[in-house]
Amino acid sequence: MTGGPTRSSGSTSDGAPPAGGGPGRDGGGPGSSGRRPASPGGGRASSGRGRALAEGGPAIPADWLAWISRLPAEGGPSGADWARRAQRLLGEAFERWGLVTDGPLRTGWTAVVAPVLRDGEPLALKLVRRSRDTDGEPLALRHWAGNGAVRLVAALPGDGMLLLERLDPDRDLRGLDTDSACEVIGGLLARLHVAAPPALDPLSNWAAGWLDEAGRRQALPRRMVARARGLLAELSTDPSCDATLVHGDLHYENVLAGTREPWLAIDPQPRAGHPGFELHAVLRNRRDELGTGAALRWSVRRRTEVLCEAAGIDEDIARRWTIVRCAIEAVWALEDDNADEVTFSIALAKALDD
């Protein structure tokens, strides 16, 4: 799609691009799909502790740079343009903030993360390829000020540089049972859902753009698209529709263990939206536990119940926003020629609809 709204780029399973294939949205995406940004300390670690280069910082793996070079521009530099500058930007961040490498660099879908020390304090340096989805991250983290989310220490947003508190990259919510994980995510969302800063894009406009695109896709069920459009029209009449700062991609791998708190959120793709929009991220992940048919319907409604109770979100509104999101995800799956993802989005929407 050209000239339309950008896709989100979240994460759904483990793996990093060169090792796990390419940017399929199952293994990295907001819908059970999407490109996966690296976490503060998360993602795949490159071999060794990073080779020091003349321009500073550990070496970014060549195969990862080659992979990201194939990505198109999405409101920021193309993958090729960014890849040519990435190593220099990393070195500049090390020099600017007086950093020393403290472990292997990790790669994700659109970012690299290096564990570092600054004056003996353990931190994480994140260098991300800028896009419309990632540009709001420093703003959101600064707005939250560490309340439920990783603490932002310093940032140069124009260069995609973020200096963050260090979390444990090897401990996320995949180690908890689903109910417990949903309770943790819900508790974090209850803290993260504050009034949105004015600079963020409104969720309703973003969703409307993608549903317009869905209407042009003959391969999608007309009933699904019409249902999503009708729901968005209803949801958009609520004055609070675009009033809340939403994380946008808070699933099981985007919560890491910390030292000052047991769990903290990472990798936001923030918008000014409605809290109900957050549900989809926990339904599209850990998919092997959902089952099919009647089991799928029970599982997604159970997760909905647990998450919404912990977060203080209206279940009915959350289901409606998720049906809207399913139609958008189906468009992305068609763009990726991924029939399985289209099928899952349709099944998920049906499981949530009354």
Side-chain angles (χ1 to χ4, degrees):
M1 173 179 178
T2 58
T6 56
R7 293 161 69 157
S8 284
S9 49
S11 164
T12 60
S13 63
D14 15 339
R25 248 183 232 88
D26 200 14
S32 60
S33 32
R35 299 183 188 116
R36 176 183 185 171
S39 336
R44 185 188 63 150
S46 61
S47 59
R49 295 181 64 83
R51 302 189 309 275
L53 300 186
E55 52 191 329
I60 302 175
D63 58 347
W64 186 83
L65 289 174
W67 174 83
I68 207 168
S69 293
R70 301 196 295 267
L71 300 183
E74 296 175 311
S78 69
D81 287 343
W82 186 82
R84 282 191 290 269
R85 302 174 58 225
Q87 190 67 63
R88 177 175 60 81
L89 289 171
L90 189 68
E92 289 176 359
F94 268 76
E95 181 177 0
R96 174 181 291 272
W97 288 320
L99 306 177
V100 177
T101 188
D102 189 40
L105 178 143
R106 294 174 180 263
T107 57
W109 287 87
T110 60
V112 295
V113 174
V116 297
L117 295 174
R118 186 176 70 167
D119 297 329
E121 180 184 9
L123 298 170
L125 173 64
K126 180 176 181 178
L127 178 66
V128 61
R129 183 177 76 103
R130 292 187 56 197
S131 70
R132 290 189 183 94
D133 290 319
T134 61
D135 276 356
E137 180 175 4
L139 174 62
L141 293 178
R142 189 172 290 115
H143 203 68
W144 288 320
N147 184 15
V150 62
R151 181 172 58 89
L152 179 67
V153 177
L156 288 174
D159 290 325
M161 300 176 189
L162 285 77
L163 190 60
L164 306 162
E165 74 174 299
R166 179 103 57 95
L167 304 181
D168 186 343
D170 298 317
R171 291 181 58 210
D172 59 34
L173 295 182
R174 287 175 296 176
L176 273 60
D177 65 85
T178 307
D179 277 8
S180 297
C182 286
E183 288 176 356
V184 170
I185 292 173
L188 291 174
L189 288 174
R191 299 165 63 187
L192 299 177
H193 288 160
V194 296
L200 289 177
D201 292 334
L203 173 63
S204 60
N205 289 352
W206 175 85
W210 277 112
L211 291 185
D212 286 345
E213 179 66 15
R216 293 187 283 270
R217 299 301 179 111
Q218 297 302 313
L220 293 181
R222 296 299 89 194
R223 183 182 180 281
M224 178 189 190
V225 176
R227 176 65 168 151
R229 280 179 149 173
L231 288 175
L232 181 61
E234 294 174 11
L235 292 165
S236 298
T237 63
D238 183 348
S240 66
C241 173
D242 296 320
T244 301
L245 173 55
V246 296
H247 180 285
D249 195 35
L250 195 57
H251 54 77
Y252 312 97
E253 295 178 64
N254 274 351
V255 178
L256 294 181
T259 53
R260 63 181 175 87
E261 293 197 30
W263 301 106
L264 290 166
I266 63 168
D267 290 355
Q269 296 176 10
R271 285 186 174 83
H274 190 281
F277 183 70
E278 307 278 24
L279 174 62
H280 188 271
V282 301
L283 299 184
R284 72 169 184 263
N285 287 275
R286 294 174 68 155
R287 196 177 301 178
D288 57 334
E289 301 174 26
L290 290 174
T292 59
L296 173 66
R297 179 182 173 86
W298 184 90
S299 297
V300 298
R301 288 176 177 250
R302 174 60 182 171
R303 291 189 190 184
T304 300
E305 176 187 5
V306 174
L307 177 79
C308 289
E309 181 177 356
I313 300 173
D314 182 280
E315 285 189 41
D316 183 58
I317 294 177
R319 286 199 300 269
R320 293 181 186 186
W321 272 112
T322 305
I323 293 168
V324 170
R325 182 62 181 264
C326 285
I328 296 171
E329 292 284 334
V331 175
W332 297 344
L334 286 175
E335 289 188 340
D336 291 343
D337 195 25
N338 192 332
D340 289 342
E341 290 301 324
V342 175
T343 299
F344 177 77
S345 291
I346 295 171
L348 181 56
K350 288 181 177 178
L352 288 167
D353 214 355
D354 290 324

